[in-house]
Amino acid sequence: TATPSWRSERRKRTYALYMPYRLPSWQSAAAAATTATSTPATPLRLLIVEAYDRAGRERLTSAGCTTASDTFAALLSRICPEDHELRLSYCHPADSVHELAEVGELSRFDGVVWTGSSLTIHEDKPEVTRQIELARRCFQAAVPQYGSCWGLQISAAAAGIPCEP
């Protein structure tokens, strides 16, 4: 059987976008050397859910903007504690049913970060319903989730709470 695309992309992008915490430029070389020789960093495994559909991402990039997932990755790499090694994986559930992780696969993550989206929760279409299903699976796996705006709407819908227009 074919490997779901989110898994194969995750492996490639996790390696390509592996971002260990970088010391702020104001810290001295001595402090950097001390940190580098201290205990090994604890991995922090996060799944970034790019909630924009392909058309939404293309509109962002054609306007010269960064995709939401790349923006979150940059922010997370800046704020990650120095005693942690940030390991990011990505999925795009609006694009394909193959982007839905199984509950057991989700449990290997320390958290899930939901980006914003140009979609609306009130549309009954696969791009939205797949994301609601992914949030349900995150709840089943007991993986902490962060999301503002779109992420809150998806979480509410996954929990059976209506979102008012």
Side-chain angles (χ1 to χ4, degrees):
T1 61
T3 302
S5 63
W6 85 272
R7 287 190 204 152
S8 56
E9 173 142 340
R10 176 196 49 79
R11 287 189 187 115
K12 292 176 196 167
R13 292 192 71 181
T14 300
Y15 179 77
L17 291 174
Y18 161 73
M19 299 179 197
Y21 178 79
R22 291 175 182 82
L23 291 171
S25 59
W26 51 264
Q27 286 193 335
S28 69
T34 302
T35 302
T37 59
S38 62
T39 59
T42 302
L44 180 59
R45 295 174 181 90
L46 299 177
L47 175 63
I48 297 180
V49 179
E50 174 60 77
Y52 279 85
D53 61 1
R54 186 177 318 279
R57 291 192 309 274
E58 288 172 0
R59 282 192 302 275
L60 285 172
T61 57
S62 68
C65 298
T66 305
T67 62
S69 57
D70 288 342
T71 300
F72 270 94
L75 174 65
L76 290 167
S77 70
R78 288 185 61 200
I79 65 172
C80 184
E82 57 186 71
D83 61 340
H84 285 71
E85 175 186 300
L86 188 58
R87 296 184 183 172
L88 301 176
S89 298
Y90 299 80
C91 71
H92 303 86
D95 294 348
S96 169
V97 70
H98 296 294
E99 294 283 331
L100 293 179
E102 295 300 323
V103 173
E105 295 169 328
L106 288 167
S107 63
R108 67 185 181 84
F109 292 105
D110 298 307
V112 174
V113 177
W114 290 85
T115 70
S117 180
S118 55
L119 299 170
T120 174
I121 196 73
H122 303 290
E123 293 179 302
D124 186 22
K125 58 187 207 176
E127 293 86 345
V128 176
T129 57
R130 283 193 296 263
Q131 295 189 56
I132 294 169
E133 179 57 28
L134 179 58
R136 282 188 187 120
R137 292 177 185 186
C138 290
F139 287 140
Q140 290 172 350
V143 178
Q145 300 176 68
Y146 168 81
S148 63
C149 194
W150 179 253
L152 292 174
Q153 293 174 57
I154 288 293
S155 295
I161 301 168
C163 295
E164 299 298 323

